[in-house]
């Protein structure tokens, strides 16, 4: 599958399996569903009467509030409670003027194999509440 035709920003999610060591099983499942829905739409458009139309693909930074992504980040705090944790991460994008700054909250769970990202709550500058919601909306838009 060559998604370079549509843009490079998220090419890796199409060409590499989602790692088990980074995400919770639930978030991995939602990511896989979204990637598979996008791949199916790419194939559907290729085989349609209008193969030059743009399929539903991941554009912009998937794991961050700002579409353009970030140029720097700092972990502000980590709050651990039992088998869950919340990390407040301050991001910066300085390739525009004025620079953009925001804080996303990374939710982690401690599994039998260690800490895994379970979700990301986006700052209000984003167009989605959180990563799981963004991915679920993406899947629904392909149906």
């Amino acid at each position: 599958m060559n998604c370079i035709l549509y843009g490079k920003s998220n090419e890796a999610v199409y060409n590499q399996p989602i790692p088990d060591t980074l995400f919770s099983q639930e978030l991995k499942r939602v990511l896989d569903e979204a990637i598979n829905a996008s791949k199916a739409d790419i194939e559907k458009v290729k085989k349609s009467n209008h193969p030059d139309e743009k399929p539903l693909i991941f554009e912009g930074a998937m794991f961050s509030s700002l579409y353009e992504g970030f140029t720097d980040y700092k972990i502000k705090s980590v709050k651990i409670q039992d088998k869950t944790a919340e990390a407040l991460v301050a991001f910066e994008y300085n390739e525009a003027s004025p620079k953009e700054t925001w804080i996303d909250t990374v939710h982690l769970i401690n599994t039998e194999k260690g800490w895994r990202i379970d979700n990301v709550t986006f700052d209000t500058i984003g167009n989605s509440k959180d990563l799981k919601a963004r991915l679920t909306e993406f899947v629904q838009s392909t149906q």
Side-chain angles (χ1 to χ4, degrees), residues 67-99:
Y67 179 90
E68 290 80 7
F70 61 91
T71 55
D72 193 22
Y73 74 93
K74 289 181 178 47
I75 298 172
K76 302 298 274 181
S77 66
V78 177
K79 185 170 35 174
I80 300 172
Q81 185 173 348
D82 297 322
K83 291 188 173 263
T84 64
E86 287 185 357
L88 296 181
V89 182
F91 290 97
E92 178 181 293
Y93 179 76
N94 64 13
E95 293 183 16
S97 184
K99 73 179 178 184

Side-chain angles (χ1 to χ4, degrees), residues 92-141:
E92 178 181 293
Y93 179 76
N94 64 13
E95 293 183 16
S97 184
K99 73 179 178 184
E100 292 277 351
T101 60
W102 68 97
I103 296 178
D104 289 345
T105 304
V106 179
H107 303 272
L108 302 115
I109 59 171
N110 195 358
T111 70
E112 64 280 350
K113 295 181 179 180
W115 289 98
R116 303 290 187 265
I117 298 170
D118 190 48
N119 203 359
V120 178
T121 301
F122 297 123
D123 195 298
T124 56
I125 68 165
N127 59 3
S128 298
K129 178 183 176 214
D130 61 66
L131 180 58
K132 284 182 184 176
R134 178 183 287 174
L135 294 169
T136 301
E137 290 165 10
F138 182 87
V139 169
Q140 291 170 349
S141 71

Side-chain angles (χ1 to χ4, degrees), residues 11-31:
E11 185 180 356
V13 299
Y14 292 101
N15 297 322
Q16 299 173 19
I18 300 296
D20 289 328
T21 57
L22 188 57
F23 301 111
S24 69
Q25 286 302 306
E26 171 66 14
L27 182 54
K28 183 180 179 332
R29 182 188 60 76
V30 175
L31 278 162

